[in-house]
Amino acid sequence: MIMKRTLAGLGFAAALVVLSGCSAQTERKVSYYQFDIVAEDKIVTTPASKPQLIIENVDMYSGLNEPGMVQRVDSYRARAATWHQWAILPADMLESATANLLSQQLSGWLVLIEKDGDIPQSEPAEKASYAVRIFVERFNGGLNGDAEVVGSWSLYDADQQLVIKNTFNKSVPLEQDGYVGLTQSLQAAWVEVSEDIARYVQTH
């Protein structure tokens, strides 16, 4: 009788452990991340002669343009996090970040995002001084404690003729562990990409 009671007690204790484990998993909350790059608080007036740079799009592989933050696990595989997600889909976040960065880096230029509706239907993107298209192949944590941003950007003139296509391969070490550190390093890498674009536009 004593053994039966002991076994019953052990069974009840085990059940409590299982239930508490399930409860802990149920209560776990998703953490959301985003770049700390915002537009300047100012009103922009645009004379007709002011050059314009249109960001036509930022495209990326579908596996990267997902909520879960991506980490490479070896040379052939990458894994998206379940509990650590982007607050905005990466492609949208990068478009906004690019516009805000280039607005700061290109003095005297008006930087617009085509899909935001800032360009009147009667004034197509072709009338801009330049239009830029960006494609992202990697936007993830790397294998060496770094953040990887790989892809290309293409610049088109007012006649939609390709002016230059430039590839980029940025690797920025994480200054701190975890997903906050990954976010900071991915942002630093993207700042470098926008600086490359701004440098070309300013010198040509």
Side-chain angles (χ1 to χ4, degrees):
M1 178 68 70
I2 293 175
M3 183 175 291
K4 287 183 178 179
R5 288 179 180 175
T6 302
L7 290 173
L10 288 173
F12 179 71
L16 281 178
V17 170
V18 171
L19 287 174
S20 64
C22 292
S23 176
Q25 288 182 351
T26 302
E27 292 174 0
R28 186 171 182 179
K29 296 186 181 300
V30 175
S31 295
Y32 294 96
Y33 304 81
Q34 61 185 3
F35 283 1
D36 184 24
I37 299 173
V38 295
E40 294 180 343
D41 185 13
K42 66 179 181 180
I43 298 174
V44 179
T45 56
T46 312
S49 59
K50 191 169 187 177
Q52 296 182 11
L53 175 62
I54 307 300
I55 300 170
E56 290 193 348
N57 53 52
V58 175
D59 285 333
M60 55 200 320
Y61 287 133
S62 58
L64 294 176
N65 197 30
E66 298 290 342
M69 299 177 71
V70 177
Q71 173 71 44
R72 289 178 68 199
V73 295
D74 58 36
S75 297
Y76 304 99
R77 296 179 299 161
R79 181 177 296 131
T82 300
W83 302 104
H84 300 275
Q85 299 187 4
W86 293 111
I88 312 165
L89 283 178
D92 293 334
M93 180 177 71
L94 293 180
E95 280 187 352
S96 176
T98 304
N100 293 334
L101 287 167
L102 290 175
S103 292
Q104 298 166 19
Q105 295 160 349
L106 291 173
S107 177
W109 284 69
L110 178 65
V111 180
L112 302 172
I113 299 177
E114 185 175 29
K115 74 178 184 183
D116 279 356
D118 292 331
I119 307 167
Q121 294 299 316
S122 59
E123 297 288 336
E126 285 83 348
K127 291 196 175 182
S129 300
Y130 283 117
V132 63
R133 302 170 190 167
I134 305 174
F135 183 74
V136 181
E137 298 177 25
R138 286 188 184 175
F139 184 73
N140 52 261
L143 299 176
N144 302 308
D146 59 348
E148 298 178 331
V149 175
V150 177
S152 63
W153 54 266
S154 301
L155 203 64
Y156 295 82
D157 64 18
D159 297 319
Q160 283 292 285
Q161 298 299 309
L162 179 64
V163 176
I164 184 175
K165 180 173 182 178
N166 186 74
T167 59
F168 55 84
N169 188 338
K170 308 294 185 183
S171 175
V172 177
L174 271 61
E175 294 186 1
Q176 60 174 305
D177 292 334
Y179 287 91
V180 170
L182 177 57
T183 303
Q184 292 172 333
S185 293
L186 285 170
Q187 175 175 311
W190 198 253
V191 169
E192 292 182 12
V193 173
S194 71
E195 287 174 342
D196 291 344
I197 298 171
R199 190 177 301 112
Y200 183 88
V201 170
Q202 286 175 325
T203 56
H204 291 81

